[in-house]
């Protein structure tokens, strides 16, 4: 009887659907090694088709970008001609840009007051790189009329850059004076200023991660007006402080009037008719 009872228990715990009541998971036969290999081969074939379509999409997108780059050129030219009518447009734009302004020392700003034009040109094969040109009026810092920096990506995908050699006037090389400024006594002291903006032209250490170049190309160049029109935060803060002071003065005046009224009431109460 004991043996018979044991068989009954085992039968009750079994599940005809292949489920294990203790774990709640369905039992399935293991996939054969051959079936796994065939599935992997099919996945690889599908993935190759996906990659092929991705490459095709990249080529189509590149053609569209090239098309619209050509269509934008007349508008960029017209915009540059209009910007030329606004004094200090580009230095104001750079000073108002949070990332670029962090790279500007006082003398950099002075030099950039002579900057009259900025142009970004993407190469015909957009993937191969771009060039940024800075046009300057006659200035006391360097002889160059144009300073350029180019970024290239060769066929193997390795980035590189090259730039114009700056012909500094005697004693005006800002890259050698970066980080120092004269104090009141005429001696030089270390000052918490960034390296000169112009050191960017000579820095080719990591062309693939040139943040300033990317900022100018992708952020400033598409719409420089948005940074030129950024309001002066100092002026806004000054106006806010003035408003607060006026508000406090109004409160004080009202308080004085109330005190005067209270004094009159008290005097009235003390009089005897």
């Amino acid at each position: 009887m004991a043996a018979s009872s044991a068989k009954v228990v085992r039968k009750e715990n079994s599940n005809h659907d292949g489920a294990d009541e203790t774990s709640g998971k369905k039992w399935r036969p293991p996939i054969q090694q051959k079936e796994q290999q065939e599935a992997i081969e099919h996945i690889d074939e599908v993935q190759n088709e996906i990659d092929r379509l991705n490459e095709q999409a990249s080529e189509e997108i590149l053609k569209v970008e090239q098309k619209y780059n050509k269509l934008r050129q007349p508008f960029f030219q017209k915009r540059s001609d209009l910007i030329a009518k606004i004094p200090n447009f580009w230095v104001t734009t750079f000073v108002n840009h949070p990332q670029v302004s962090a790279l500007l020392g006082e003398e950099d700003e002075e030099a950039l007051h002579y900057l009259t034009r900025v142009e970004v040109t993407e190469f015909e094969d957009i993937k191969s790189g771009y060039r940024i040109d800075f046009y300057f009026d006659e200035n006391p810092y360097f002889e160059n009329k144009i300073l350029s920096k180019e970024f290239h990506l060769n066929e193997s995908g390795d980035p590189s850059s090259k730039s114009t050699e700056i012909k500094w006037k005697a004693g005006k090389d800002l890259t050698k004076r970066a980080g120092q400024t004269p104090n009141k006594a005429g001696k030089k002291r270390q000052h918490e200023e960034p390296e000169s903006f112009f050191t960017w032209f000579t820095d080719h250490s990591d062309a693939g991660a040139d943040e300033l170049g990317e900022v100018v190309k992708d952020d400033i160049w598409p719409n420089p007006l948005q940074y030129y029109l950024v309001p002066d935060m100092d002026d806004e803060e000054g106006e806010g402080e003035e408003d607060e002071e006026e508000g406090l003065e109004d409160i004080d005046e009202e308080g004085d009037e109330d005190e005067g009224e209270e004094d009159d009431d008290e005097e009235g109460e003390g009089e005897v008719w």
Side-chain angles (χ1 to χ4, degrees), residues 102-119:
L103 304 174
L104 299 178
E106 291 181 8
E107 287 191 286
D108 290 332
E109 289 186 31
E110 290 297 324
L112 289 175
H113 275 83
Y114 298 91
L115 178 62
T116 59
R117 192 183 191 97
V118 174
E119 289 184 355

Side-chain angles (χ1 to χ4, degrees), residues 44-90:
D44 187 52
E45 290 173 1
V46 172
Q47 190 62 50
N48 288 337
E49 289 298 317
I50 294 172
D51 293 342
R52 184 183 62 79
L53 288 173
N54 288 341
E55 290 178 7
Q56 184 178 343
S58 297
E59 292 174 1
E60 295 296 328
I61 291 170
L62 183 59
K63 290 178 182 177
V64 171
E65 288 181 350
Q66 289 173 331
K67 173 186 174 181
Y68 282 93
N69 268 347
K70 291 180 180 179
L71 293 175
R72 283 191 286 261
Q73 292 311 309
F75 295 97
F76 285 144
Q77 181 64 45
K78 184 176 181 179
R79 187 183 70 184
S80 292
D81 293 341
L82 293 170
I83 287 174
K85 299 178 181 181
I86 303 175
N88 301 321
F89 179 92
W90 285 108

Side-chain angles (χ1 to χ4, degrees), residues 4-175:
S4 176
S5 299
K7 289 180 181 178
V8 171
V9 170
R10 284 197 296 272
K11 185 176 181 180
E12 289 176 352
N13 288 340
S14 64
N15 190 307
H16 295 290
D17 295 331
D20 183 350
E21 291 182 353
T22 58
S23 63
K25 296 180 181 178
K26 285 191 174 183
W27 178 87
R28 292 186 176 90
I31 300 176
Q32 299 299 318
Q33 187 67 27
K34 182 180 178 181
E35 292 178 351
Q36 287 185 5
Q37 187 60 36
E38 289 178 353
I40 290 172
E41 290 174 359
H42 288 311
I43 291 172
D44 187 52
E45 290 173 1
V46 172
Q47 190 62 50
N48 288 337
E49 289 298 317
I50 294 172
D51 293 342
R52 184 183 62 79
L53 288 173
N54 288 341
E55 290 178 7
Q56 184 178 343
S58 297
E59 292 174 1
E60 295 296 328
I61 291 170
L62 183 59
K63 290 178 182 177
V64 171
E65 288 181 350
Q66 289 173 331
K67 173 186 174 181
Y68 282 93
N69 268 347
K70 291 180 180 179
L71 293 175
R72 283 191 286 261
Q73 292 311 309
F75 295 97
F76 285 144
Q77 181 64 45
K78 184 176 181 179
R79 187 183 70 184
S80 292
D81 293 341
L82 293 170
I83 287 174
K85 299 178 181 181
I86 303 175
N88 301 321
F89 179 92
W90 285 108
V91 66
T92 303
T93 298
F94 287 160
V95 168
N96 286 344
H97 192 284
Q99 289 173 271
V100 179
S101 63
L103 304 174
L104 299 178
E106 291 181 8
E107 287 191 286
D108 290 332
E109 289 186 31
E110 290 297 324
L112 289 175
H113 275 83
Y114 298 91
L115 178 62
T116 59
R117 192 183 191 97
V118 174
E119 289 184 355
V120 175
T121 305
E122 294 192 77
F123 301 147
E124 187 171 353
D125 181 1
I126 297 174
K127 294 185 293 184
S128 66
Y130 61 95
R131 184 181 72 252
I132 305 176
D133 297 313
F134 298 80
Y135 294 77
F136 289 86
D137 277 340
E138 179 69 28
N139 65 80
Y141 295 95
F142 44 81
E143 301 289 347
N144 311 70
K145 300 298 183 184
I146 304 174
L147 296 180
S148 303
K149 188 167 184 178
E150 295 184 5
F151 298 87
H152 297 268
L153 198 65
N154 60 29
E155 295 180 357
S156 62
D158 296 325
S160 63
S161 62
K162 62 180 182 179
S163 60
T164 306
E165 180 182 354
I166 304 177
K167 299 177 181 178
W168 296 101
K169 294 182 178 180
K172 293 294 185 177
D173 189 341
L174 299 182
T175 64

